[in-house]
Amino acid sequence: MAAIVIDGKAAAARVRAEVAEGVAAFAARYGRAPGLVGIQVGDDPASELYQAGKARAAEEAGMVPRRITLPDSTGQAELDALIDELNADDAVDGMLVQLPVPDQLSEPLIANRIHPDKDVDGFSPVNLGRLMRGEPGNVPCTPQGVMRMLRDAEVPLVGAHAVVVGRSLIVGKPQSMLLLAEHCTVTVAHSRTRDLPSLCRTADILVAAVGRPEMIRGDWVKPGAAVMDVGINRTDDGLRGDVAYAECAEVAGWITPVPGGVGPMTIAYLLANTLDAAHRRAGATT
Ligand code: NDP
C-alpha cells in the first residue's frame, strides 16, 4: 500500500493561520504587533531568498518584520554591537542571524550574544539547555515542524523507535530531544554509524537530516514507518530530499515530499516562536 503523503504546505498554512490569529489577539491586548528582525551578513543569494521569505511571512502574519543587511566584511565587534542594540530594543521580540556567516564571524559567539528570550531560532546554549531540561523556551524551528507533522498525521509516538539520521545542532540533536520528550526510543545516527541501512530498517519513525540527495533507499525503510525528509539538496535534476521518495513511498506508512514537506514548516515555526517570545516578554513586564 502506498504511503500517506504528509502535505507540509497545508500543515504550514494551518500553523501560520493560528499564528496570525494569535498576533491579532496580541496586538489588541498590548497595542503593538510582535517584531522580528532578520540580520544577514553579505549578499549570498540563498540567504537573500531565505531572509526575504521570512520577512514576507512575518508581514503576512501581521508582525512587524525588519531586515538588516550588513556588508560581507562586517567584524564580530560590529555585529555584537548591533545584536546588543536589538537586545535592548523593546519593539524587537525575535531576532536571527542568517547562517552561514562569513569566516571572520563566529556562530557560537553570535548564539551566545542574542538574548535567549529573543533567540527565535532556538540555537543559543540557554535555549538548547532548556530543551534538554524540558523547560519552556525557544525550540529550533525545523524539528518542531517535524513534530507537528507527526502529531497531525497521528503517527504513534509513545514507545516507537525513532532513528534520526544527522546530529547537527539545528536539526538532528534538537529533533532527538523532542522525540524523546514524546516517549520515543531514539537512536541518533551520523556519518560514522555502522550499517546505517540495517539500523534504519528498525525505525518506526525515520527522520533524515543529512544533506545527501536520495541517500535513504526504499529497502532501508520498515514497512509502515513514518519517513520524515528534512533534506533540501539542489541537484541538476532540481530540488531533492535525503530520501529516495518514490522507492520509500512504496514501503512507508507516511512520508513527506521534497519540496512541499518539512521545508515550509520551518518558517511557520519561526513565526510561532516569535509570537511565543512576544508573549513571554509582554508577560514579564505586565
Ligand atoms: P549538517 O551538514 O550540519 O549535518 C549533517 C549530518 O548528517 C551530520 O550529523 C553528518 O554526520 C550526517 N551525515 C553526513 N553524511 C552522512 C552519511 N553518509 N551517513 C550518515 N550520516 C551522515 O546539516 P543540517 O543538519 O544543517 O541539514 C541537513 C539537511 O537538512 C540539509 O539538506 C539541509 O539543507 C536541510 N535543512 C532543511 C531545513 C528545512 O527547513 N527543511 C532546515 C535545516 C536544514 P557527522 O556529524 O558525523 O558529520
XYZ file of all heavy atoms in Angstrom, residues 50 123 141-143 146 164-173 188-193 196 208-213 215-216 220 229-234 240-242 258 261-267, ligand 1:
413
model
N 16.068 33.372 1.633
C 15.514 32.935 2.924
C 15.047 34.140 3.735
O 13.970 34.135 4.320
C 16.564 32.167 3.738
C 16.810 30.753 3.252
C 18.091 30.272 3.030
C 15.744 29.876 3.045
C 18.318 28.970 2.596
C 15.963 28.571 2.615
C 17.255 28.131 2.389
O 17.461 26.843 1.963
N 18.877 28.500 18.919
C 20.227 27.912 18.826
C 21.121 28.285 20.013
O 22.254 27.812 20.120
C 20.939 28.364 17.546
C 20.235 27.952 16.271
C 20.454 28.648 15.087
C 19.375 26.866 16.244
C 19.822 28.277 13.904
C 18.736 26.485 15.075
C 18.963 27.194 13.903
N 13.263 25.555 14.916
C 12.019 25.551 14.142
C 11.780 24.263 13.341
O 10.668 23.731 13.345
C 12.034 26.735 13.174
S 12.288 28.317 14.007
N 12.797 23.801 12.635
C 12.588 22.650 11.744
C 12.163 21.399 12.529
O 11.174 20.747 12.165
C 13.858 22.394 10.906
O 14.222 23.615 10.251
C 13.633 21.314 9.881
N 12.865 21.058 13.615
C 12.422 19.884 14.379
C 11.024 20.044 14.968
O 10.259 19.079 15.037
C 13.455 19.768 15.507
C 14.623 20.583 15.089
C 14.127 21.626 14.150
N 8.654 19.105 12.245
C 8.553 17.643 12.076
C 7.611 17.065 13.125
O 6.746 16.226 12.815
C 9.960 16.994 12.163
C 9.852 15.474 12.240
C 10.820 17.413 10.977
N 17.032 9.124 14.004
C 17.314 10.434 13.420
C 18.670 10.327 12.740
O 19.675 10.052 13.412
C 17.355 11.534 14.518
C 17.662 12.896 13.899
C 16.039 11.569 15.289
N 18.704 10.497 11.438
C 19.980 10.435 10.730
C 20.486 11.868 10.575
O 19.871 12.669 9.868
C 19.864 9.730 9.363
C 21.263 9.466 8.796
C 19.093 8.425 9.482
N 21.556 12.188 11.278
C 22.096 13.554 11.327
C 22.125 14.029 12.767
O 21.181 13.781 13.530
N 23.219 14.686 13.149
C 23.364 15.119 14.542
C 23.742 16.591 14.638
O 24.501 16.998 15.511
C 24.407 14.257 15.259
C 25.756 14.264 14.570
C 26.800 13.508 15.360
N 27.957 13.184 14.538
C 29.014 12.527 14.980
N 29.075 12.121 16.223
N 30.028 12.273 14.176
N 23.232 17.389 13.692
C 23.552 18.824 13.758
C 22.793 19.483 14.903
O 21.806 18.957 15.412
C 23.179 19.514 12.442
O 21.778 19.646 12.342
N 23.312 20.659 15.269
C 22.717 21.430 16.359
C 21.357 21.991 15.957
O 20.493 22.238 16.795
C 23.670 22.590 16.681
C 23.663 23.139 18.083
C 24.021 22.072 19.091
C 24.642 24.303 18.162
N 21.175 22.216 14.650
C 19.924 22.876 14.239
C 18.815 21.880 13.901
O 17.662 22.248 13.936
C 20.152 23.885 13.084
C 20.606 23.201 11.810
C 21.156 24.937 13.469
C 20.657 24.178 10.638
N 19.183 20.648 13.587
C 18.133 19.669 13.284
C 18.276 18.393 14.131
O 17.462 18.115 15.013
C 18.075 19.278 11.782
C 16.812 18.459 11.505
C 18.114 20.485 10.861
N 19.305 17.606 13.853
C 19.391 16.253 14.423
C 19.298 16.213 15.950
O 18.474 15.476 16.520
N 20.137 17.005 16.626
C 20.153 16.933 18.097
C 18.835 17.404 18.706
O 18.251 16.683 19.521
C 21.337 17.727 18.661
C 22.649 16.974 18.536
C 23.784 17.793 19.125
C 25.124 17.118 18.833
N 26.244 18.028 19.113
N 20.309 8.204 17.419
C 20.827 9.261 16.540
C 21.976 8.675 15.722
O 22.966 8.194 16.280
C 21.320 10.477 17.357
C 21.784 11.585 16.420
C 20.211 10.997 18.273
N 21.825 8.713 14.406
C 22.857 8.162 13.518
C 23.608 9.299 12.833
O 23.120 10.432 12.772
C 22.198 7.267 12.471
N 24.798 9.007 12.344
C 25.632 10.036 11.722
C 26.620 9.363 10.771
O 26.475 8.168 10.481
C 26.347 10.852 12.809
C 26.924 9.989 13.883
N 28.095 9.303 13.726
C 26.428 9.645 15.105
C 28.333 8.588 14.811
N 27.339 8.779 15.662
N 27.619 10.119 10.338
C 28.486 9.596 9.274
C 29.343 8.404 9.717
O 29.862 7.675 8.884
C 29.385 10.712 8.740
O 30.277 11.129 9.743
N 29.505 8.226 11.021
C 30.329 7.091 11.486
C 29.484 5.898 11.926
O 30.033 4.913 12.427
C 31.204 7.505 12.677
C 31.875 8.858 12.550
C 33.048 8.794 11.585
N 33.580 10.142 11.410
C 34.542 10.665 12.158
N 35.079 9.973 13.119
N 34.960 11.892 11.930
N 28.183 6.006 11.784
C 27.302 4.896 12.187
C 27.587 3.670 11.317
O 27.706 3.793 10.092
C 25.826 5.333 12.038
O 25.596 6.415 12.938
C 24.868 4.194 12.340
N 24.211 1.610 8.447
C 23.056 2.505 8.532
C 21.776 1.891 7.942
O 20.702 2.015 8.544
C 23.405 3.843 7.854
C 22.401 4.968 7.989
C 22.175 5.340 9.446
C 22.868 6.192 7.202
N 15.340 11.991 8.299
C 16.586 12.141 7.541
C 16.978 13.607 7.500
O 16.235 14.434 6.958
C 16.385 11.606 6.125
N 18.107 13.944 8.097
C 18.608 15.327 8.103
C 20.102 15.277 7.848
O 20.926 15.484 8.740
C 18.304 16.004 9.428
N 20.444 14.966 6.611
C 21.824 14.628 6.257
C 22.424 15.629 5.268
O 23.565 16.071 5.420
C 21.868 13.207 5.635
C 23.294 12.815 5.299
C 21.245 12.181 6.559
N 21.655 15.946 4.227
C 22.200 16.798 3.174
C 22.848 16.002 2.058
O 23.766 16.481 1.403
N 22.376 14.766 1.840
C 22.852 13.932 0.723
C 21.633 13.453 -0.076
O 20.826 12.696 0.458
C 23.644 12.720 1.237
C 24.903 13.120 1.974
C 25.520 11.904 2.623
N 26.223 11.085 1.665
C 27.530 11.183 1.416
N 28.249 12.076 2.064
N 28.097 10.402 0.542
N 21.556 13.920 -1.343
C 20.337 13.644 -2.103
C 20.017 12.155 -2.207
O 20.872 11.360 -2.580
C 20.622 14.259 -3.487
C 22.053 14.651 -3.491
C 22.521 14.726 -2.087
N 19.736 9.638 -0.295
C 20.587 8.624 0.338
C 19.770 7.469 0.921
O 20.177 6.315 0.868
C 21.418 9.272 1.445
C 22.411 8.338 2.068
S 23.287 9.092 3.447
C 22.156 8.788 4.773
N 18.622 7.795 1.510
C 17.794 6.758 2.152
C 17.001 6.021 1.075
O 16.171 6.611 0.381
C 16.804 7.399 3.169
C 17.522 8.340 4.142
C 15.950 6.333 3.860
C 18.202 7.730 5.309
N 15.693 0.482 2.897
C 16.144 0.864 4.247
C 14.943 1.121 5.159
O 15.115 1.439 6.335
C 16.946 2.167 4.229
C 18.212 2.185 3.461
C 18.592 1.396 2.425
C 19.302 3.097 3.674
N 19.828 1.757 1.964
C 20.284 2.800 2.715
C 19.531 4.150 4.567
C 21.487 3.498 2.623
C 20.720 4.856 4.495
C 21.690 4.514 3.516
N 11.469 13.664 5.779
C 12.648 14.060 4.998
C 12.939 15.552 5.199
O 12.232 16.407 4.665
C 12.368 13.760 3.519
C 13.605 13.911 2.654
O 14.642 14.380 3.162
O 13.518 13.548 1.464
N 13.981 15.841 5.964
C 14.350 17.238 6.230
C 15.266 17.789 5.130
O 15.357 18.989 4.918
C 15.037 17.360 7.614
C 15.461 18.787 7.898
C 14.105 16.869 8.725
N 15.908 16.902 4.402
C 16.942 17.307 3.441
C 16.434 18.257 2.357
O 15.321 18.113 1.858
N 17.267 19.239 2.057
C 16.998 20.121 0.913
C 18.291 20.155 0.108
O 19.283 20.725 0.551
C 16.627 21.551 1.365
C 15.339 21.535 2.200
C 16.457 22.469 0.152
C 14.920 22.900 2.718
N 18.294 19.495 -1.025
C 19.506 19.404 -1.831
C 19.221 19.895 -3.243
O 18.284 19.406 -3.884
C 19.972 17.942 -1.899
C 20.135 17.322 -0.512
O 21.032 17.705 0.224
N 19.269 16.388 -0.160
N 20.019 20.870 -3.670
C 19.856 21.352 -5.043
C 20.696 20.478 -5.968
O 21.907 20.412 -5.814
C 20.301 22.817 -5.135
C 19.246 23.744 -4.591
C 19.748 25.142 -4.277
N 19.277 25.571 -2.962
C 18.021 25.915 -2.700
N 17.123 25.932 -3.649
N 17.638 26.252 -1.483
N 15.966 18.013 -4.302
C 15.769 16.632 -3.851
C 15.934 16.573 -2.339
O 16.711 17.320 -1.752
C 16.817 15.698 -4.474
C 16.640 15.490 -5.966
C 15.439 14.578 -6.257
N 15.318 14.298 -7.679
C 14.648 15.054 -8.560
N 14.033 16.157 -8.149
N 14.578 14.719 -9.826
N 15.218 15.637 -1.718
C 15.396 15.397 -0.291
C 16.535 14.428 -0.039
O 17.281 14.058 -0.955
N 16.653 13.996 1.209
C 17.644 12.975 1.570
C 17.086 11.574 1.361
O 17.768 10.580 1.597
C 18.040 13.130 3.046
C 18.862 14.385 3.296
O 19.453 14.911 2.336
O 18.917 14.834 4.464
N 9.644 16.327 -0.915
C 10.533 17.491 -1.069
C 10.449 17.914 -2.528
O 10.721 17.085 -3.406
C 11.994 17.151 -0.716
C 12.910 18.355 -0.993
C 12.123 16.720 0.727
N 7.276 19.541 1.857
C 7.157 18.724 3.059
C 7.572 19.513 4.291
O 6.912 20.482 4.666
N 8.703 19.090 4.874
C 9.169 19.736 6.110
C 9.552 21.208 5.867
O 9.345 22.062 6.731
C 10.390 18.961 6.685
C 10.954 19.666 7.904
C 9.997 17.522 7.029
N 10.080 21.502 4.686
C 10.592 22.846 4.385
C 9.679 23.983 4.824
O 10.106 24.848 5.600
N 8.420 24.020 4.359
C 7.553 25.144 4.712
C 7.292 25.278 6.215
O 6.897 26.344 6.690
C 6.244 24.819 3.973
C 6.604 23.847 2.916
C 7.798 23.097 3.396
N 7.485 24.196 6.963
C 7.211 24.247 8.410
C 8.237 25.097 9.154
O 7.964 25.605 10.245
C 7.212 22.834 8.993
C 6.078 21.977 8.513
S 4.480 22.696 8.953
C 4.141 21.851 10.489
N 9.433 25.240 8.589
C 10.492 25.961 9.310
C 10.101 27.424 9.514
O 10.172 27.948 10.628
C 11.822 25.832 8.541
O 12.133 24.432 8.468
C 12.951 26.555 9.237
N 9.654 28.078 8.457
C 9.249 29.482 8.591
C 8.006 29.586 9.467
O 7.883 30.496 10.294
C 9.009 30.136 7.202
C 10.356 30.355 6.513
C 8.244 31.449 7.330
C 10.296 31.175 5.237
P 24.769 19.283 8.659
O 25.669 19.201 7.493
O 25.031 20.237 9.753
O 24.644 17.822 9.322
C 24.510 16.695 8.524
C 24.521 15.449 9.400
O 24.430 14.331 8.544
C 25.806 15.307 10.196
O 25.495 14.929 11.523
C 26.560 14.209 9.466
O 27.311 13.338 10.306
C 25.424 13.395 8.884
N 25.881 12.657 7.706
C 26.587 13.119 6.657
N 26.842 12.129 5.771
C 26.296 11.013 6.298
C 26.238 9.669 5.880
N 26.794 9.269 4.741
N 25.604 8.794 6.670
C 25.031 9.171 7.829
N 25.053 10.437 8.280
C 25.674 11.351 7.520
O 23.319 19.506 8.041
P 21.979 20.127 8.669
O 21.513 19.320 9.821
O 22.110 21.584 8.797
O 20.982 19.877 7.438
C 20.699 18.592 6.970
C 19.820 18.693 5.735
O 18.605 19.345 6.087
C 20.405 19.557 4.604
O 19.962 19.031 3.373
C 19.777 20.908 4.829
O 19.695 21.672 3.641
C 18.422 20.516 5.310
N 17.768 21.502 6.160
C 16.466 21.763 5.899
C 15.763 22.663 6.651
C 14.336 22.878 6.345
O 13.849 23.969 6.522
N 13.617 21.859 5.908
C 16.393 23.393 7.753
C 17.751 22.982 8.018
C 18.392 22.082 7.223
P 28.619 13.839 11.127
O 28.077 14.628 12.273
O 29.267 12.571 11.524
O 29.417 14.666 10.172
